[in-house]
Amino acid sequence: MLPLKSNYPLPGLARRVGRHHLGRMVPTRSDDLAAMTEALALARGAAALGEVPVGALVMRAGQVLGAAHNQTVLRRDPTAHAEALAIREALEAAGGDRLEGATLIVTLEPCAHCAGAIILAKVARVVFGAWDPKAGMAGSVEDLLRHPRLNHRVEVIGGVMGEECARLLQGFFLDRR
């Protein structure tokens, strides 16, 4: 099971005032919440197909450029993570090799593979739901997205609708046992 990570003294405080970001509180934007709701719908679709329930959207200027869910089983490809697939789709829609000014919304903290793709595509912001204490690279295991030696650092906001995202993942893995 994926435990929820919290830096808040009161359980409901984060939901009411915002999310933790680089040592300070930032308000959760309404468009981030709407996009996370869509990402959760994609994740539920993945679960229905027997895939780990992770969904991702890439948005820029209020427009969805790419959307995907995990497809590692379907494609027999361990790199077919929701984030990577959504980034590929967004790059195609944008007609370039950079996603400057774009936000990636994903239901689970990105792993090293996805963090690398996010950095290489120059995604501006990442908003994620559940923390991943085993593979998360946005603060749980390491913080690749904001590593000071890299030439691109991403704004990261974690824990948005985190409890709901974590419950979906926990339920999926409990059903598999």
Side-chain angles (χ1 to χ4, degrees):
M1 290 207 290
L2 298 171
L4 298 176
K5 179 177 180 179
S6 177
N7 297 320
Y8 311 107
L10 301 172
L13 181 63
R15 270 193 302 280
R16 288 195 305 273
V17 299
R19 297 292 175 218
H20 193 260
H21 173 70
L22 292 175
R24 60 187 166 80
M25 294 299 288
V26 249
T28 301
R29 296 174 10 183
S30 61
D31 55 337
D32 291 342
L33 295 173
M36 187 62 75
T37 300
E38 292 299 316
L40 272 162
L42 290 165
R44 287 184 192 98
L49 297 171
E51 298 279 357
V52 174
V54 177
L57 300 170
V58 176
M59 299 186 69
R60 185 165 52 196
Q63 183 177 29
V64 176
L65 298 177
H69 59 71
N70 272 3
Q71 296 181 33
T72 60
V73 176
L74 178 70
R75 294 182 183 215
R76 296 181 181 171
D77 177 358
T79 68
H81 291 194
E83 302 97 305
L85 297 173
I87 287 170
R88 287 180 192 135
E89 188 176 299
L91 288 167
E92 189 172 316
D97 64 347
R98 300 285 187 267
L99 293 170
E100 292 157 334
T103 297
L104 172 75
I105 297 92
V106 61
T107 57
L108 181 64
E109 180 181 5
C111 68
H113 159 69
C114 295
I118 290 163
I119 291 164
L120 292 172
K122 306 284 192 233
V123 173
R125 293 175 72 235
V126 169
V127 176
F128 70 86
W131 295 89
D132 186 350
K134 293 182 179 180
M137 287 292 148
S140 288
V141 174
E142 273 297 330
D143 197 348
L144 189 58
L145 293 176
R146 294 173 286 200
H147 196 283
R149 297 201 52 199
L150 296 176
N151 66 346
H152 180 71
R153 279 177 235 46
V154 181
E155 178 185 357
V156 177
I157 300 171
V160 175
M161 297 177 67
E163 292 173 15
E164 189 173 347
C165 294
R167 272 194 305 273
L168 179 61
L169 286 157
Q170 289 167 346
F172 176 80
F173 288 114
L174 280 174
D175 288 345
R176 296 270 176 212
R177 291 183 186 144

